[in-house]
Amino acid sequence: MSASGDLIEGDAPYIDPVRAAALHRRSLRSSVVATVSTVVFLIAVGFATVNAPGWASVRYWFFNGSAFRASVGSVASAFLLNVKIFLVAEVFILVLSLVVALIRVSTAPVLMPLRFVATVFTDVFRGTPTLLVVYLLGFGMPALQIKGLPNDPVIWGTIALVLSYTAYVAEVFRAGIRSIHPSQRAAARSLGLNVSQTMRFVVLPQAVRRIAPPLLNDFVSLQKDTALVSVLGPIEALRAAEIYSASKFNYTAIVVAALLFIAVTIPLARFTDWLSDRQERRDRGTAR
Amino acid sequence: MTALLHVNGVHKAFGTNPVLRGLEVSLEPHEVVALIGSSGSGKSTLLRCVNGLESIDAGKIMLGDVEVSALDADLDVVRRRVGIVFQAYNLFPHMSVLANVTLAPIRVLRHSRKQAEGAALELLARLGLAEKARQYPDQLSGGQQQRVAIARALAMQPELLLLDEVTSALDPELVGEVLDVIRDLKAGGMTILMATHEMAFAREVADRVCFLDRGRVLESGPPGEIFENPAEPRTREFLDRFLSG
Amino acid sequence: MRRLTLVPVVALLAAGLAACSAGNVGAAPSSASSASAAPSDCTPAAMQTYTSGMLTIGTDTPAYPPYFENNDPTNGQGLESALAYAVADKLGFAKAAVKWTVVPFNSSYAPGPKKFDFDINQISITPDRAKVVDFSEGYYTVNQAVVTLKTSKIANATSLAELQSAKLGAQVGTTSLSFITDYVKPGAQPYVYNDTNDAKKALATGQIDGIVVDLPTAYYITAAEIDNSKIVGQFPAQEGPTSEQFGMLFAKGSPLVKCIDWALASLKSAGTLKTIQDQWLAGADAPYFKQ
Ligand SMILES: Nc1ncnc2c1ncn2[C@@H]1O[C@H](COP(=O)(O)OP(=O)(O)O)[C@@H](O)[C@H]1O
Ligand SMILES: [Mg+2]
């Protein structure tokens, strides 16, 4: 049996050293230009802002050093609640949305009633503003006075976020699953894999890769929406900031809260970019 | 009846388009049968029906004494016995070559990973892909990918191998390496039903050639007979067009 | 309700971070104004109001009883509506020359020019707030009170100590909230709501044991809003962090402050202020908590 077609295998790659050096210089030049232009841009924006006629007042209201120091502690510790809600909600959202998506793409006749429920579920919760879901569950469920039902607003707020985001993320999953070409399914079935094995080993892994960027996008958004739980009473970062601002009549605490949200969002955003870049490179079929 | 595969009066339509119209074909064990015919004549559809990827409208498909076409047939079991290789390879892009080949043995046949990988590496070596085991499909040439697809089907040790124009998507200089593999399979006694446009190759390896025309086997016989002295004018027409084009 | 109105903050972040360390203080609070004889520049013609010849007054929506009635500031009913019209009248503004505008609490102290002459919205006068806005003299000395359900475990509390294990709620931005954190100091964090309606809902569904509101609001809630509720008790103002007064809120340095103060002083000495308070806050009473 021949193994032709691997003609250059075994040979070390040869790159002209002069050409390599020139390429290196060029990439160095590109990064220098990028860095310098970024710095110049930031300085220009900063300079324009600082020299705006109202800057002194804006600095007092939004970037007040003493208010910053005074509020950062209470806002940061309240932010732990946001993080906690986010982490718990995210796990449930991933699991439930996958279940909903799998039900919706299923074809088995016995699952018809479940498919109907799943469709209604996504329609309702995707169409309802998250804040309303938070209100409805947070104040409505405890009002039912059912024994054994939790009363804690954090729990209900988290459940509301889970329901709302599950509806979104389920649709993302479903789109991902549907984007996998039927030939992949045919190949798996032809090897004797059953429907669920085909889904688990062939379709889902590819779908998840494809939807990772939009999925992370939804999670960045979830991170911010944890603030909605505050309408039910618990003090999270934005509420803590609001309390501080209202008692001192100064908005700096809100900037503090914004910075905290940004601080956790940026790593997620860069990770999303990295995933999309990798996906694109892969789709173009170059390096992996 | 000793036939391994017996396709008996099969009809299949897509909507209002009848694609298979009372098609008959059968294969003895170790027989290699080539399906030729113009594009759209129903070659791929036939192969997909044999392996249960499409359902049929009428007729019977028997694999040994199991009726593949029965409404209550366990297709997962049928597919374990019948391997198929597609024109477009259809490898799993998120898996390494080795994982592509071992997926079904591990998940379907419940082989241990060790056992499956050992067998897979042996198979890959036989197909000249030993060094590619850890690579991913998009790092391979078309010919290499198609050989991996064949290895993936062979890993299930099928009784019958279906090949659907496995060289059509390849650059001409890569066709040879895939045909070499098929030659070896025939030498090893594999039963093969293959749709192909490689007439010279069909002539060389096939025990029998079937000319498909509009969903029927219009003519079938030993390659020498079909290629040199076809009984049907439409077969002649097809071959003339093919050999001149 | 008191939702945040965020000015584009992010664009300013880079520059602002550096500025934070610099530390800056706005204008110092203006000297207290006094209520002497009617100043000649306190007439509709002389006063530099937002719309000349008119008095533009801000308040939040919904406007709650007993400070407003039927969520309608223009009907002259409720303590603050009645008082606003009395002040306007004193200064010579006809009823038709008074215009109300919606000012969410959070934007009442926003920097930049104000869209009202003064804001009247149960805003407590505090030194921190007085650094960035001006207040009129207080028009009502407010006590904080605890409202609960009759079935609650704190329904019969008589001392501060008995509130220690309670979950208490209040509206964001209110001194009621500061009162919980700075004075009652219960074991659990307070629950904070966008508005009193949400706090009442949480109380009614048993998510919290009690809400802290000013006494007139407490009285109104128990009398007219939540069937099964009662005032557990009130805290005397002087025992709180500061003696707490409601005042009207002005832009920092507003020349109108002294006119309003003059009008308030006149209403006070004529007994009109007392009459208005008695009319709208009648019956607002409750036992005092023991230390
Ligand atoms: N999934 C399908 N849906 C509808 N029509 C199809 C489908 N698959 C094949 N066909 C049609 O069936 C006919 C035969 O196709 P095919 O079996 O692929 O022919 P061949 O492989 O001989 O070129 C063609 O007309 C094709 O358009
Ligand atoms: Mg075909």
Side-chain angles (χ1 to χ4, degrees), chain B residues 124-182:
Chain B
L124 288 170
R126 247 174 68 204
L127 270 62
L129 292 163
E131 297 96 85
K132 303 294 178 191
R134 305 282 162 194
Q135 303 207 326
Y136 282 78
D138 62 4
Q139 295 169 299
L140 304 183
S141 73
Q144 290 165 341
Q145 290 191 51
Q146 193 57 291
R147 280 183 282 149
V148 173
I150 294 172
R152 184 174 67 176
L154 291 178
M156 291 296 283
Q157 297 177 313
E159 297 160 49
L160 170 65
L161 189 60
L162 309 173
L163 303 177
D164 191 1
E165 297 193 30
V166 292
T167 57
S168 309
L170 299 179
D171 290 338
E173 77 265 26
L174 300 179
V175 169
E177 61 187 78
V178 173
L179 296 185
D180 283 347
V181 169
I182 300 170

Coordinates of all heavy atoms in Angstrom, one line a residue, chain B residues 124-182:
Chain B
L124 N -4.5 2.3 10.1 CA -4.0 3.6 9.5 C -2.6 3.3 8.8 O -2.3 3.8 7.8 CB -3.8 4.7 10.6 CG -5.2 5.3 11.0 CD1 -5.0 6.2 12.2 CD2 -5.8 6.1 9.9
A125 N -1.8 2.4 9.5 CA -0.5 2.1 8.9 C -0.7 1.4 7.6 O 0.0 1.7 6.6 CB 0.3 1.2 9.9
R126 N -1.6 0.5 7.6 CA -1.9 -0.2 6.3 C -2.3 0.7 5.2 O -2.0 0.5 4.0 CB -3.1 -1.2 6.5 CG -2.7 -2.7 6.5 CD -3.8 -3.6 6.8 NE -4.9 -3.5 5.9 CZ -6.2 -3.8 6.1 NH1 -6.5 -4.2 7.4 NH2 -7.1 -3.8 5.2
L127 N -3.0 1.8 5.6 CA -3.4 2.8 4.6 C -2.4 3.9 4.4 O -2.7 4.9 3.8 CB -4.8 3.4 5.0 CG -6.0 2.6 4.4 CD1 -6.0 1.2 5.0 CD2 -7.3 3.3 4.8
G128 N -1.2 3.8 5.0 CA -0.2 4.7 4.8 C -0.4 6.0 5.5 O 0.0 7.1 5.1
L129 N -1.1 5.9 6.7 CA -1.4 7.2 7.4 C -0.9 7.1 8.8 O -1.3 7.9 9.7 CB -2.9 7.3 7.5 CG -3.6 7.6 6.2 CD1 -5.1 7.3 6.3 CD2 -3.4 9.0 5.7
A130 N 0.1 6.3 9.1 CA 0.6 6.1 10.4 C 1.0 7.4 11.1 O 0.6 7.6 12.3 CB 1.8 5.1 10.4
E131 N 1.6 8.3 10.4 CA 2.1 9.5 11.0 C 1.0 10.6 11.2 O 1.2 11.6 11.8 CB 3.2 10.2 10.2 CG 4.5 9.4 10.1 CD 4.5 8.7 8.8 OE1 4.9 9.3 7.7 OE2 4.1 7.5 8.7
K132 N -0.2 10.3 10.6 CA -1.2 11.3 10.6 C -2.2 11.1 11.8 O -3.1 11.8 11.9 CB -2.0 11.3 9.3 CG -1.1 11.5 8.1 CD -0.5 12.9 8.1 CE 0.4 13.1 6.9 NZ 1.1 14.4 7.1
A133 N -2.0 10.0 12.6 CA -3.0 9.7 13.6 C -3.4 10.8 14.5 O -4.5 11.0 14.9 CB -2.5 8.5 14.4
R134 N -2.4 11.7 14.9 CA -2.7 12.7 15.8 C -3.1 14.0 15.2 O -3.4 15.0 15.9 CB -1.5 13.0 16.7 CG -1.0 11.7 17.4 CD -1.8 11.4 18.6 NE -1.6 10.0 19.0 CZ -2.4 9.4 19.9 NH1 -3.5 9.9 20.4 NH2 -2.1 8.1 20.2
Q135 N -3.2 14.0 13.9 CA -3.5 15.3 13.2 C -5.0 15.4 13.0 O -5.8 14.5 13.3 CB -2.8 15.4 11.9 CG -1.3 15.2 12.0 CD -0.5 15.9 11.0 OE1 -0.9 15.9 9.8 NE2 0.6 16.4 11.3
Y136 N -5.4 16.6 12.6 CA -6.8 16.9 12.4 C -7.1 16.9 10.9 O -6.3 17.2 10.1 CB -7.2 18.2 13.1 CG -7.4 18.0 14.6 CD1 -6.3 18.0 15.4 CD2 -8.7 17.9 15.1 CE1 -6.4 17.8 16.7 CE2 -8.8 17.7 16.5 CZ -7.7 17.6 17.3 OH -7.8 17.5 18.6
P137 N -8.4 16.6 10.5 CA -8.7 16.5 9.1 C -8.3 17.7 8.3 O -7.8 17.5 7.2 CB -10.2 16.3 9.1 CG -10.5 15.6 10.4 CD -9.5 16.2 11.4
D138 N -8.4 18.9 8.8 CA -8.1 20.0 8.0 C -6.6 20.2 7.8 O -6.1 21.1 7.1 CB -8.7 21.3 8.5 CG -8.2 21.7 9.9 OD1 -7.3 21.0 10.4 OD2 -8.7 22.7 10.5
Q139 N -5.8 19.3 8.4 CA -4.3 19.4 8.1 C -3.9 18.4 7.1 O -2.7 18.3 6.8 CB -3.6 19.1 9.4 CG -3.8 20.1 10.5 CD -3.3 19.6 11.9 OE1 -3.7 18.6 12.4 NE2 -2.3 20.3 12.4
L140 N -4.9 17.6 6.5 CA -4.6 16.6 5.6 C -5.0 17.0 4.2 O -5.9 17.8 4.0 CB -5.3 15.3 6.0 CG -5.1 14.8 7.4 CD1 -5.9 13.5 7.6 CD2 -3.7 14.6 7.7
S141 N -4.3 16.3 3.2 CA -4.7 16.5 1.8 C -6.0 15.8 1.6 O -6.4 14.9 2.4 CB -3.6 16.0 0.9 OG -3.6 14.6 0.9
G142 N -6.7 16.0 0.4 CA -7.9 15.3 0.1 C -7.8 13.8 0.1 O -8.6 13.1 0.6
G143 N -6.7 13.4 -0.5 CA -6.4 12.0 -0.7 C -6.2 11.3 0.7 O -6.8 10.2 1.0
Q144 N -5.5 12.0 1.6 CA -5.3 11.5 2.9 C -6.6 11.5 3.7 O -6.9 10.5 4.4 CB -4.3 12.4 3.7 CG -2.9 12.2 3.1 CD -2.0 13.3 3.6 OE1 -2.4 14.4 4.0 NE2 -0.7 13.1 3.6
Q145 N -7.4 12.5 3.5 CA -8.7 12.6 4.2 C -9.6 11.4 3.7 O -10.3 10.7 4.5 CB -9.4 13.9 4.0 CG -8.8 15.1 4.6 CD -9.6 16.3 4.6 OE1 -10.8 16.3 5.0 NE2 -9.0 17.4 4.1
Q146 N -9.6 11.1 2.4 CA -10.5 10.1 2.0 C -10.0 8.7 2.5 O -10.8 7.8 2.8 CB -10.5 10.1 0.4 CG -11.6 9.3 -0.2 CD -13.0 9.6 0.3 OE1 -13.3 9.4 1.5 NE2 -13.8 10.2 -0.5
R147 N -8.7 8.6 2.6 CA -8.1 7.3 3.1 C -8.5 7.2 4.6 O -8.8 6.1 5.1 CB -6.6 7.2 3.0 CG -6.2 6.8 1.5 CD -4.8 6.7 1.4 NE -4.1 8.0 1.2 CZ -2.8 8.2 1.7 NH1 -2.2 7.2 2.3 NH2 -2.3 9.4 1.5
V148 N -8.5 8.3 5.3 CA -9.0 8.2 6.7 C -10.5 7.8 6.8 O -10.9 7.0 7.6 CB -8.8 9.6 7.4 CG1 -9.5 9.6 8.8 CG2 -7.4 10.0 7.5
A149 N -11.3 8.3 5.8 CA -12.7 8.0 5.8 C -12.9 6.5 5.6 O -13.7 5.8 6.2 CB -13.4 8.8 4.8
I150 N -12.0 6.0 4.7 CA -12.1 4.5 4.4 C -11.7 3.7 5.7 O -12.3 2.8 6.1 CB -11.2 4.1 3.2 CG1 -11.7 4.8 2.0 CG2 -11.1 2.6 3.1 CD1 -10.8 4.6 0.7
A151 N -10.6 4.2 6.4 CA -10.2 3.5 7.6 C -11.3 3.6 8.6 O -11.5 2.6 9.3 CB -8.9 4.2 8.1
R152 N -12.0 4.7 8.7 CA -13.0 4.9 9.7 C -14.1 3.8 9.4 O -14.7 3.2 10.4 CB -13.6 6.3 9.6 CG -14.7 6.6 10.6 CD -15.1 8.0 10.6 NE -15.8 8.3 9.3 CZ -16.3 9.5 9.1 NH1 -16.2 10.5 9.9 NH2 -17.0 9.8 7.9
A153 N -14.5 3.6 8.2 CA -15.5 2.6 7.8 C -15.0 1.2 8.1 O -15.7 0.4 8.6 CB -15.9 2.8 6.4
L154 N -13.7 1.0 7.8 CA -13.2 -0.4 7.9 C -13.0 -0.8 9.4 O -13.0 -1.9 9.8 CB -11.8 -0.5 7.2 CG -11.8 -0.4 5.7 CD1 -10.4 -0.5 5.2 CD2 -12.7 -1.6 5.1
A155 N -12.9 0.3 10.3 CA -12.6 0.0 11.7 C -13.8 -0.8 12.3 O -13.7 -1.4 13.3 CB -12.4 1.3 12.4
M156 N -15.0 -0.7 11.6 CA -16.1 -1.4 12.2 C -16.2 -2.8 11.6 O -17.2 -3.5 11.8 CB -17.4 -0.6 11.8 CG -17.6 0.7 12.5 SD -17.8 0.4 14.3 CE -19.5 -0.1 14.4
Q157 N -15.2 -3.2 10.8 CA -15.1 -4.5 10.2 C -16.4 -4.9 9.5 O -17.1 -5.9 9.9 CB -14.8 -5.5 11.3 CG -13.4 -5.2 11.8 CD -13.0 -6.2 12.9 OE1 -13.8 -6.4 13.8 NE2 -11.8 -6.7 12.8
P158 N -16.8 -4.1 8.6 CA -18.1 -4.3 7.9 C -18.0 -5.5 7.0 O -17.0 -5.8 6.5 CB -18.3 -3.0 7.1 CG -16.9 -2.5 6.8 CD -16.1 -2.9 8.0
E159 N -19.2 -6.1 6.8 CA -19.3 -7.2 5.8 C -19.4 -6.7 4.4 O -19.0 -7.4 3.5 CB -20.5 -8.1 6.1 CG -20.5 -8.7 7.5 CD -21.9 -9.1 7.9 OE1 -22.6 -9.8 7.1 OE2 -22.3 -8.8 9.0
L160 N -19.9 -5.5 4.3 CA -20.1 -4.9 3.0 C -19.6 -3.4 3.0 O -19.9 -2.7 4.0 CB -21.6 -5.0 2.6 CG -22.1 -4.2 1.4 CD1 -21.4 -4.8 0.1 CD2 -23.6 -4.3 1.3
L161 N -18.9 -3.0 2.0 CA -18.4 -1.7 2.0 C -19.1 -0.9 0.8 O -19.0 -1.4 -0.3 CB -16.9 -1.6 1.9 CG -16.2 -0.3 2.0 CD1 -16.5 0.3 3.4 CD2 -14.7 -0.4 1.8
L162 N -19.7 0.2 1.1 CA -20.3 1.0 0.0 C -19.4 2.2 -0.2 O -19.0 2.9 0.7 CB -21.7 1.5 0.4 CG -22.6 0.4 1.0 CD1 -23.9 1.1 1.5 CD2 -23.0 -0.6 -0.1
L163 N -19.0 2.4 -1.5 CA -18.1 3.5 -1.8 C -18.8 4.4 -2.8 O -19.2 4.0 -3.9 CB -16.8 3.0 -2.5 CG -16.0 2.0 -1.6 CD1 -14.7 1.6 -2.4 CD2 -15.5 2.6 -0.3
D164 N -19.0 5.7 -2.5 CA -19.8 6.6 -3.3 C -18.8 7.6 -4.0 O -18.5 8.6 -3.4 CB -20.9 7.3 -2.5 CG -21.8 8.1 -3.4 OD1 -21.7 8.0 -4.6 OD2 -22.7 8.7 -2.9
E165 N -18.4 7.3 -5.2 CA -17.5 8.2 -5.9 C -16.4 8.8 -5.0 O -16.2 10.0 -4.9 CB -18.3 9.3 -6.6 CG -19.3 8.8 -7.5 CD -19.9 9.9 -8.4 OE1 -19.2 10.9 -8.6 OE2 -21.1 9.7 -8.8
V166 N -15.7 7.8 -4.4 CA -14.7 8.3 -3.4 C -13.5 9.1 -4.0 O -12.8 9.7 -3.3 CB -14.2 7.1 -2.6 CG1 -15.3 6.6 -1.7 CG2 -13.6 6.1 -3.5
T167 N -13.4 9.1 -5.3 CA -12.3 9.8 -5.9 C -12.7 11.1 -6.6 O -11.9 11.9 -7.1 CB -11.5 9.0 -6.9 OG1 -12.4 8.5 -7.9 CG2 -10.8 7.8 -6.2
S168 N -14.0 11.3 -6.7 CA -14.5 12.5 -7.5 C -14.1 13.8 -7.0 O -14.0 14.8 -7.8 CB -16.0 12.5 -7.6 OG -16.4 11.2 -8.0
A169 N -13.9 13.9 -5.7 CA -13.5 15.3 -5.2 C -12.0 15.5 -5.1 O -11.6 16.5 -4.6 CB -14.1 15.4 -3.8
L170 N -11.3 14.5 -5.6 CA -9.8 14.6 -5.5 C -9.1 15.2 -6.7 O -9.6 15.0 -7.8 CB -9.2 13.2 -5.2 CG -9.8 12.5 -3.9 CD1 -9.1 11.1 -3.8 CD2 -9.5 13.3 -2.7
D171 N -8.0 15.9 -6.4 CA -7.1 16.3 -7.5 C -6.6 15.0 -8.2 O -6.4 14.0 -7.5 CB -5.9 17.1 -7.0 CG -6.4 18.4 -6.4 OD1 -7.4 18.9 -6.8 OD2 -5.6 19.0 -5.6
P172 N -6.5 15.1 -9.5 CA -6.1 13.9 -10.3 C -4.9 13.2 -9.7 O -4.9 11.9 -9.6 CB -5.8 14.4 -11.7 CG -6.5 15.7 -11.8 CD -6.6 16.3 -10.4
E173 N -3.9 13.9 -9.2 CA -2.7 13.2 -8.8 C -2.9 12.5 -7.4 O -2.1 11.7 -7.0 CB -1.5 14.1 -8.7 CG -1.4 15.0 -7.5 CD -2.0 16.4 -7.8 OE1 -2.9 16.5 -8.8 OE2 -1.7 17.4 -7.2
L174 N -4.0 12.7 -6.8 CA -4.3 12.1 -5.5 C -5.2 10.9 -5.6 O -5.4 10.1 -4.7 CB -5.0 13.1 -4.5 CG -4.1 14.3 -4.2 CD1 -4.9 15.2 -3.2 CD2 -2.8 13.9 -3.6
V175 N -5.8 10.7 -6.8 CA -6.8 9.6 -7.1 C -6.1 8.3 -6.8 O -6.6 7.4 -6.2 CB -7.4 9.7 -8.5 CG1 -8.1 8.5 -8.8 CG2 -8.2 11.0 -8.6
G176 N -4.8 8.2 -7.4 CA -4.1 6.9 -7.3 C -4.0 6.3 -5.9 O -4.3 5.1 -5.7
E177 N -3.7 7.1 -5.0 CA -3.4 6.6 -3.6 C -4.7 6.0 -3.0 O -4.6 5.0 -2.3 CB -2.9 7.7 -2.7 CG -3.8 8.9 -2.5 CD -3.1 10.0 -1.7 OE1 -2.3 10.8 -2.3 OE2 -3.4 10.1 -0.5
V178 N -5.9 6.5 -3.4 CA -7.1 6.0 -2.9 C -7.5 4.7 -3.6 O -7.9 3.7 -3.0 CB -8.3 7.0 -3.0 CG1 -9.6 6.4 -2.6 CG2 -7.9 8.3 -2.1
L179 N -7.3 4.7 -4.9 CA -7.5 3.5 -5.7 C -6.7 2.3 -5.2 O -7.1 1.2 -5.2 CB -7.4 3.8 -7.2 CG -8.3 4.8 -7.8 CD1 -8.2 4.9 -9.3 CD2 -9.8 4.5 -7.4
D180 N -5.4 2.7 -4.9 CA -4.5 1.6 -4.3 C -5.1 0.9 -3.1 O -5.1 -0.3 -3.0 CB -3.2 2.3 -3.9 CG -2.3 2.6 -5.1 OD1 -2.6 2.1 -6.2 OD2 -1.3 3.3 -4.9
V181 N -5.7 1.7 -2.3 CA -6.4 1.2 -1.1 C -7.5 0.2 -1.5 O -7.6 -0.9 -0.9 CB -6.9 2.3 -0.2 CG1 -7.7 1.8 0.9 CG2 -5.7 3.1 0.4
I182 N -8.3 0.6 -2.4 CA -9.4 -0.2 -2.8 C -9.0 -1.5 -3.4 O -9.5 -2.6 -3.2 CB -10.4 0.6 -3.8 CG1 -10.9 1.9 -3.1 CG2 -11.5 -0.3 -4.2 CD1 -11.6 2.8 -4.0

